[in-house]
């Protein structure tokens, strides 16, 4: 199959009109060389470029030698204002390229409400994939990559963050977390406290001049950053999956899993957890964590 779809820039280099629709365009994390050829073509040909911050996108377009076309600021929180205009433009045959400041739109970035509205309106939505900090960090971490859970940004307040971490503690997958450098030391300490001795990687400034990955147990990383202070730049934390369960847990687990699987087939998560906790005499928290792990396994 041809990799060039109908209506995209022609082979002679001239930009032809794009078919109506929204194009979700990934942009570099910091290294301009990571822009894809197709992303450049779409950005050059789109009628409107919807972006998080017009100054950032104007700079990107200038660096790519693309004349600043019609830029519109889009933000999920203020979706009410721009969204109808973008949807209407596409309904009238226009093309909208959606970008964020860096990486893939919608991944801890604006765009979800717009894409949902476009889908509901029956409009075409096309992926123009490329850089994404979560995938880049996972790919260089050396931690298991066959099964992972992206958590986005953790809550900022200590109590809410602890609850969010406890909720995923038992999930048998590598975890991917975005964190601000300022909160990194305390966040790693909270992870060490709640997850125990799990292997982790802090990936910093990926694709940029000072790219660095630090690897160690959560406690070692927490201690290192407590001593050095918050790092500069942007970071992703990758946490390896929990260790295999103990023999005692393994003995009990099949019974728990069988009961939970049966209960989850016929009732809500909440009722299933209450029912199985009552029947097995195990703490609700543990049954809930196991139910979540089973839920992930079934996907
Ligand atoms: N949608 C973007 C993507 O696909 O990469 C992510 C946007 S989110 C608002 C920004 C977060 O991504 C940062 O706080 C950091 O956790 C991570 N990030 C972005 N660029 C990075 C880089 N060059 N190195 C490490 N982490 C990065």
């Amino acid at each position: 199959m041809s990799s060039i779809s109908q209506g995209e820039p022609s082979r002679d280099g001239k930009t032809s009109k794009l078919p109506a629709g929204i194009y979700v365009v990934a942009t570099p994390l910091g290294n301009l060389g990571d822009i894809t050829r197709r992303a450049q073509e779409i950005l050059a040909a789109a009628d409107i470029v919807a972006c998080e911050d017009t100054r950032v996108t104007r700079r990107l377009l200038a660096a790519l030698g693309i004349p600043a076309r019609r830029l519109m600021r889009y933000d999920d929180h203020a979706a009410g204002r721009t969204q109808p205009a973008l949807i209407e433009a596409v309904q009238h045959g226009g093309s909208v390229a959606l970008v964020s400041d860096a990486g893939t739109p919608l991944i801890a970035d604006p765009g979800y409400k717009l894409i949902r509205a476009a889908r509901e309106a029956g409009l075409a939505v096309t992926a123009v994939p490329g850089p994404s900090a979560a995938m880049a960090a996972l790919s260089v971490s050396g931690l298991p990559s066959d099964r992972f859970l992206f958590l986005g940004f953790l809550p900022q307040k200590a109590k809410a963050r602890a609850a969010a971490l406890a909720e995923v503690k038992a999930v048998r997958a590598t975890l991917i977390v975005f964190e601000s450098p300022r909160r990194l030391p305390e966040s790693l300490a909270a992870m060490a406290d709640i997850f125990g001795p799990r292997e982790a990687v802090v990936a910093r400034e990926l694709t940029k001049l000072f790219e660095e990955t630090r690897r160690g147990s959560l406690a070692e990383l927490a201690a290192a950053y407590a001593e050095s202070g918050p790092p500069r730049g942007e970071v992703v934390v990758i946490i390896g999956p929990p260790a295999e369960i103990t023999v005692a847990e393994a003995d009990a687990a099949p019974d728990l899993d069988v009961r939970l699987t049966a209960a989850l087939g016929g009732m809500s998560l909440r009722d299933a957890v209450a029912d199985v906790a009552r029947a097995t005499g195990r703490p609700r928290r543990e049954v809930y964590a196991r139910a979540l792990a089973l839920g992930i396994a079934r996907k």
Side-chain angles (χ1 to χ4, degrees):
M1 269 185 78
S2 161
S3 63
I4 303 200
S5 348
Q6 183 208 357
E8 291 191 13
S10 58
R11 287 175 194 278
D12 62 7
K14 288 196 191 117
T15 304
S16 60
K17 175 137 179 72
L18 287 174
I22 300 189
Y23 297 79
V24 183
V25 182
T27 57
L29 300 174
N31 187 325
L32 192 62
D34 291 336
I35 189 84
T36 68
R37 204 169 108 191
R38 188 157 165 258
Q40 289 194 70
E41 292 170 348
I42 300 283
L43 287 172
D47 296 316
I48 299 173
V49 176
C51 54
E52 241 188 303
D53 183 331
T54 51
R55 287 162 308 176
V56 172
T57 301
R58 216 178 284 283
R59 272 201 301 275
L60 173 70
L61 294 179
L64 296 171
I66 297 173
R69 306 170 63 80
R70 222 176 126 198
L71 294 187
M72 271 177 91
R73 196 174 159 273
Y74 176 81
D75 172 350
D76 278 335
H77 302 298
R81 276 178 259 149
T82 353
Q83 194 167 292
L86 294 171
I87 296 287
E88 204 176 311
V90 177
Q91 282 168 333
H92 286 90
S95 52
V96 172
L98 173 69
V99 296
S100 56
D101 286 352
T104 301
L106 278 86
I107 310 301
D109 262 341
Y112 166 69
K113 287 191 179 166
L114 176 65
I115 299 307
R116 181 145 185 107
R119 289 265 175 226
E120 277 165 6
L123 303 178
V125 178
T126 303
V128 187
S132 176
M135 294 302 100
L138 178 66
S139 70
V140 296
S141 69
L143 292 170
S145 54
D146 52 337
R147 213 157 175 256
F148 55 85
L149 177 64
F150 173 60
L151 300 177
F153 287 100
L154 295 174
Q156 297 183 14
K157 297 210 167 115
K159 207 168 156 195
R161 178 177 55 208
L165 292 173
E167 197 181 9
V168 296
K169 180 179 174 179
V171 174
R172 300 202 166 272
T174 293
L175 305 175
I176 306 175
V177 176
F178 284 169
E179 190 50 284
S180 86
R182 194 167 49 80
R183 280 189 296 275
L184 182 69
E186 63 174 73
S187 199
L188 285 168
M191 290 175 195
D193 197 31
I194 291 163
F195 292 154
R198 279 162 73 166
E199 211 183 354
V201 165
V202 174
R204 187 174 77 86
E205 293 290 85
L206 292 165
T207 77
K208 302 188 200 174
L209 191 59
F210 297 107
E211 172 166 348
E212 170 193 72
T213 47
R214 275 206 208 179
R215 188 185 177 125
S217 70
L218 281 166
E220 284 165 353
L221 289 169
Y225 283 105
E227 197 182 321
S228 67
R232 285 174 190 241
E234 298 186 283
V235 294
V236 180
V237 184
I238 310 281
I239 304 125
E244 288 305 310
I245 52 177
T246 63
V247 174
E249 281 172 331
D251 284 347
D255 176 46
L256 190 59
D257 287 2
V258 169
R259 283 174 187 266
L260 260 175
T261 307
L264 283 166
M267 29 179 129
S268 70
L269 175 64
R270 203 176 147 179
D271 289 347
V273 168
D275 195 59
V276 174
R278 216 178 10 255
T280 59
R282 297 171 86 94
R284 265 185 200 222
R285 202 155 30 93
E286 181 193 327
V287 178
Y288 179 69
R290 190 64 204 149
L292 287 184
L294 283 175
I296 298 287
R298 273 205 299 272
K299 275 181 194 158

